[in-house]
C-alpha cells in the first residue's frame, strides 16, 4: 500500500526540467530546494520508519510577480538551471497571496529565482516549453525573491493558508528565515 501511495504521489508531481551545468551535473546554485523533514508514521503494531515530508515555505518579492512563471537561474543569473514544463503548471502550482505581502510557495522559489514575463495561463497553453535562451530573454530584470521563510509544519497538513496567516500575524514565531 505504501508503494502505491508513493507511486501515485510521484505521478501527481510535475516534472520540472533541470538544466545540466558544464560539468554535466544538475546545478543547485543558490538556495537548496525545500528539504523534506522526517516524519514517523504510526502503523498497527508500532511505528513505520520515517518518511520525508517537505516543510511549507512562504516568500516575498520586490514587486507583484505572483502571476509570472518563475525559473531558477545559476548563481551569476546568466543561465537557466531549472524551469517547469507547461504541463507542470496548474491552479495548484500558482502561489497563494497571504497576509503582509507574503506568498505561499508552491513552485520552489529561492535566492536564484527569476520571474519571467510569461503568465501562468500563457505558459500552461504552450505546446512545449520555451528554450533556455527564450526564457532568459523573458526574465523580468531585477524581479527578485527578497525573503523566504520556512514554516513549522509540513506540506499537505491541511489549512496551510490559515496557518501561515496566523503565524505571519503573530510575527512568525517558530519559523525559520532561510533567505536572506
Amino acid at each position: 500500500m505504501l508503494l502505491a501511495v508513493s507511486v501515485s504521489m510521484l505521478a501527481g508531481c510535475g516534472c520540472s526540467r533541470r538544466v545540466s551545468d558544464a560539468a554535466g551535473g544538475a546545478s543547485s546554485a543558490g538556495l537548496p530546494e525545500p528539504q523534506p523533514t522526517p516524519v514517523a508514521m504510526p502503523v498497527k503494531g508500532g511505528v513505520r520508519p520515517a518518511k520525508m515530508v517537505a516543510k511549507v515555505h512562504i516568500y516575498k518579492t520586490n514587486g507583484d510577480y505572483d502571476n509570472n512563471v518563475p525559473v531558477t537561474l545559476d548563481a551569476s543569473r546568466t543561465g537557466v538551471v531549472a524551469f517547469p514544463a507547461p504541463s507542470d503548471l496548474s491552479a495548484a502550482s500558482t502561489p497563494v497571496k497571504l497576509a503582509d505581502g507574503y506568498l505561499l510557495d508552491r513552485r520552489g522559489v529561492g535566492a536564484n529565482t527569476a520571474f519571467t514575463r510569461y503568465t501562468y495561463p500563457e505558459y500552461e497553453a504552450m505546446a512545449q516549453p520555451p528554450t533556455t535562451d527564450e526564457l532568459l530573454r523573458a526574465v523580468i530584470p531585477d524581479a527578485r525573491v527578497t525573503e523566504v521563510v520556512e514554516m513549522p509544519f509540513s506540506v499537505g497538513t491541511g489549512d496551510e493558508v490559515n496557518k501561515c496567516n496566523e503565524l505571519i500575524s503573530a510575527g512568525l514565531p517558530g519559523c525559520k528565515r532561510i533567505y536572506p
Side-chain angles (χ1 to χ4, degrees):
M1 171 136 169
L2 179 60
L3 179 59
V5 171
S6 297
V7 169
S8 65
M9 286 174 57
L10 287 173
C13 293
C15 297
S16 294
R17 181 163 181 208
R18 186 166 288 281
V19 180
S20 295
D21 63 16
S27 174
S28 60
L31 283 182
E33 293 181 23
Q35 295 300 306
T37 302
V39 176
M41 301 298 294
V43 294
K44 188 174 183 177
V47 174
R48 182 174 298 177
K51 75 174 197 175
M52 303 305 273
V53 180
K55 294 283 190 163
V56 169
H57 288 177
I58 62 172
Y59 67 99
K60 284 187 175 184
T61 63
N62 63 345
D64 186 17
Y65 306 115
D66 57 293
N67 197 36
N68 298 91
V69 174
V71 296
T72 305
L73 300 180
D74 60 23
S76 67
R77 297 185 72 83
T78 58
V80 176
V81 174
F83 58 97
S87 60
D88 289 342
L89 303 182
S90 69
S93 61
T94 60
V96 176
K97 290 184 180 186
L98 300 169
D100 196 27
Y102 283 97
L103 297 164
L104 178 62
D105 182 11
R106 298 180 349 170
R107 291 285 327 143
V109 303
N112 291 334
T113 295
F115 296 93
T116 64
R117 289 184 177 85
Y118 298 113
T119 65
Y120 279 86
E122 290 169 339
Y123 200 91
E124 285 178 66
M126 293 179 175
Q128 60 187 10
T131 66
T132 55
D133 287 339
E134 290 169 328
L135 287 168
L136 278 174
R137 286 192 300 273
V139 167
I140 300 169
D142 300 320
R144 300 269 199 278
V145 171
T146 58
E147 182 179 354
V148 180
V149 178
E150 183 179 271
M151 306 308 279
F153 52 91
S154 300
V155 172
T157 56
D159 205 20
E160 284 96 351
V161 171
N162 286 333
K163 289 178 181 178
C164 287
N165 282 331
E166 288 173 9
L167 288 169
I168 291 166
S169 295
L172 298 171
C175 299
K176 179 181 173 185
R177 182 175 301 230
I178 58 175
Y179 178 76

